[in-house]
Amino acid sequence: MKQDSDLRNNLKSIRTRLGMSQQDLANIASVTRQTISGVESGLYAPSVAITLRLAKALGCQVEDLFWLERDLPEIEAVLAKPVPNGQQLRVSVARVGGQWIAYPLIGKDAFRQDMIPADGEGETCTGTNKIRVRLLDDNLDTLHNTVVIAGCAPVISLWARATERWHPQLRVQYNFANSMAALHSLCRGEAHIAGMHLYDPETGEYNTPFVRDVLAGREAVLITLGVWEEGLLLKSGNPMGIRTVSDLVAGGATIVNREIGSGSRMLLEQTLQKEQIPFDAVQGFDNILKSHQDVAQAVVRGVADAGMSTASVATAFGLGFIPLHQSRYDLVILKEYLEEAPVQQLLSTLGHRMVHSQFEILGGYDISKIGEVVATV
C-alpha cells in the first residue's frame, strides 16, 4: 500500500536502538526486508496485521511506531525574543499569564550541557512577534504544567530538578538571564518568576527598589532563595596574591566582566567606586561574558586572572575566592501567578529537605530564610 502522506513512523530509530538490522526485524516479524525498508523510508504504509507484528517484534505499542502528522496540535504563541524572519525554529513552549510563549532554542539557549528537547517547531513571519507552532506531541498537559523561571543562579536548576522528582507532572523551564533581564522578562509576561540579586547602596535594600521601578505599580512578592557570597574568582592558590579590587590594578591583573544588568557587574562597579578606582584602570573591564560558568571557565583556562562570581561557583571549578559581599537572591513573582497550581507546587518545595540538601552541599549559601516573603510591592 502506498504511504499516506500524513503517516509518520519511528521504526528505524527503535530498530537501531535495539541493535537490529532490517533483515533481523524482517525475520522476526515474518515480512520481507524490502517491506521494512519501504516502511522506514515512507514509501509503504503497512497493513494492520504487519503493523501489529512489527510492534510485537520490537516490544512496543503501535502508537510508538506510527502516528498521523495532522493529529498533532498547533497553537499560536508569542516569541520571547526577536529572531530573523522566515527562520525555521525549534522552540520550548509554556503558558504564562493566559497566553502561549515560545522560547527559541537557538545558540546558547539551545543547550544547558546537553541539547534541550524542543516542544515544537514553527516559522517566523514578517511584521509580527507571533509564531504558529506545530507541537511535536499532543501532551498539552505538560505545557500547561510548566513554570517558567528567568534568572542566573546555578542553583535554580538544582531546585528545578529536585522539584520535578517530587512532582513528576510538573515541568520547570529555566531561561538564563541576568537580574535586570529576568525582571524585564517577568514584566513582559514571558516568565512566572524572575530571580535577581541586585543591591541598592542608596537605600541599603536588595532587589525591592529595582522591582518597584521596573514593574511600575504591578503587584508582586519577593521570596528569598538564599544569601550567597559574591567576590573575586582567582586562579587556584592565588599566585598573584590578590586580596582586594585595588590589588587587581596594582598587580596588573586581567579580569573578565559581566554584562550590564547583572548583579556581579553591579557589585564590581560599586566596589570600584567605593575604592575610587576608575573602571578603565582595570585591565579587561570591557571583556564581557554572560554567565557565572563562563567567568569561571575563563579563569580556569588562563584567559583572565580574576572575575566576579560566587563562592559556590569557585568551589565547583576548584578556584580561589575572595569574598566581597553577601547578596540576597530573591524570587520575584507577580501576584496574579501566585495561585496557579504549578507555581504553588514549585514554591512548596522550598521547604523540602531534598532541596535544602542540594543547596547546603554547594557551600557559600545561607538558606536559613529560604521561602520567606521578604517584600511585597
Side-chain angles (χ1 to χ4, degrees):
M1 183 186 300
K2 188 177 180 181
Q3 176 77 305
D4 185 325
S5 61
D6 283 330
L7 185 64
R8 299 289 183 268
N9 75 80
N10 202 27
L11 184 59
K12 183 177 180 179
S13 64
I14 294 178
R15 172 180 63 77
T16 55
R17 190 177 69 212
L18 295 175
M20 291 185 182
S21 67
Q22 289 184 341
Q23 190 62 60
D24 291 335
L25 180 56
N27 292 340
I28 297 171
S30 300
V31 298
T32 67
R33 188 196 64 77
Q34 288 77 12
T35 296
I36 303 299
S37 177
V39 173
E40 289 184 353
S41 64
L43 298 176
Y44 174 72
S47 66
V48 173
I50 291 176
T51 299
L52 292 172
R53 290 209 296 269
L54 290 173
K56 183 177 180 181
L58 294 169
C60 64
Q61 301 295 317
V62 170
E63 292 82 359
D64 295 329
L65 285 177
F66 299 96
W67 67 93
L68 291 174
E69 191 79 1
R70 62 172 174 265
D71 287 346
L72 296 177
E74 287 191 0
I75 58 174
E76 186 175 81
V78 177
L79 283 164
K81 62 171 59 177
V83 294
N85 291 324
Q87 181 171 334
Q88 197 73 18
L89 293 176
R90 298 172 62 250
V91 296
S92 290
V93 180
R95 190 82 171 171
V96 181
Q99 65 180 352
W100 292 109
I101 306 295
Y103 306 91
L105 298 176
I106 55 178
K108 283 192 173 182
D109 292 331
F111 295 86
R112 290 298 176 258
Q113 291 298 324
D114 301 323
M115 183 171 278
I116 299 171
D119 295 320
E121 64 174 351
E123 185 172 320
T124 57
C125 300
T126 304
T128 178
N129 67 337
K130 294 189 176 181
I131 185 172
R132 193 72 186 170
V133 178
R134 184 179 66 84
L135 299 178
L136 301 184
D137 63 46
D138 59 358
N139 191 7
L140 281 171
D141 287 343
T142 297
L143 304 186
H144 279 286
N145 289 322
T146 297
V147 179
V148 182
I149 305 178
C152 69
V155 295
I156 290 176
S157 60
L158 296 178
W159 176 34
R161 298 295 83 79
T163 297
E164 289 173 340
R165 287 177 59 192
W166 191 252
H167 295 288
Q169 303 306 313
L170 181 68
R171 185 177 71 159
V172 182
Q173 165 94 22
Y174 172 33
N175 296 333
F176 181 83
N178 68 48
S179 294
M180 287 302 293
L183 190 55
H184 283 289
S185 183
L186 177 73
C187 192
R188 291 192 300 266
E190 298 164 358
H192 297 96
I193 301 172
M196 58 187 302
H197 59 114
L198 297 178
Y199 176 69
D200 179 16
E202 292 186 8
T203 63
E205 291 185 278
Y206 292 96
N207 302 318
T208 307
F210 304 94
V211 174
R212 288 197 186 101
D213 182 54
V214 172
L215 295 188
R218 299 181 69 181
E219 295 185 326
V221 298
L222 282 74
I223 297 175
T224 290
L225 190 60
V227 176
W228 62 9
E229 286 187 309
E230 285 191 285
L232 291 171
L233 300 188
L234 307 168
K235 293 177 182 177
S236 180
N238 192 9
M240 298 185 71
I242 295 169
R243 299 298 174 195
T244 66
V245 292
S246 297
D247 293 339
L248 295 173
V249 178
T254 298
I255 72 165
V256 284
N257 203 353
R258 289 289 305 282
E259 74 279 20
I260 293 173
S262 71
S264 295
R265 183 190 179 101
M266 188 173 291
L267 175 58
L268 176 61
E269 291 180 350
Q270 291 169 354
T271 307
L272 290 172
Q273 288 169 342
K274 185 177 180 180
E275 298 291 330
Q276 297 184 328
I277 299 172
F279 297 166
D280 59 8
V282 183
Q283 293 186 44
F285 185 86
D286 292 326
N287 294 338
I288 305 302
L289 297 177
K290 293 191 175 182
S291 75
H292 292 283
Q293 295 94 318
D294 287 347
V295 170
Q297 287 171 347
V299 178
V300 168
R301 294 196 307 267
V303 175
D305 300 308
M308 295 290 292
S309 190
T310 69
S312 60
V313 171
T315 299
F317 283 86
L319 294 170
F321 182 74
I322 302 297
L324 297 176
H325 190 71
Q326 287 192 324
S327 296
R328 197 181 72 214
Y329 197 95
D330 291 337
L331 306 169
V332 186
I333 311 167
L334 295 181
K335 285 189 176 180
E336 61 201 76
Y337 300 152
L338 272 177
E339 299 305 317
E340 295 186 9
V343 174
Q344 284 289 311
Q345 285 184 332
L346 177 63
L347 294 178
S348 71
T349 63
L350 287 175
H352 200 284
R353 181 64 193 170
M354 181 165 52
V355 174
H356 291 191
S357 297
Q358 290 289 339
F359 285 23
E360 287 167 354
I361 62 174
L362 282 175
Y365 271 88
D366 176 2
I367 58 169
S368 59
K369 296 185 182 299
I370 188 172
E372 288 190 11
V373 176
V374 292
T376 59
V377 297

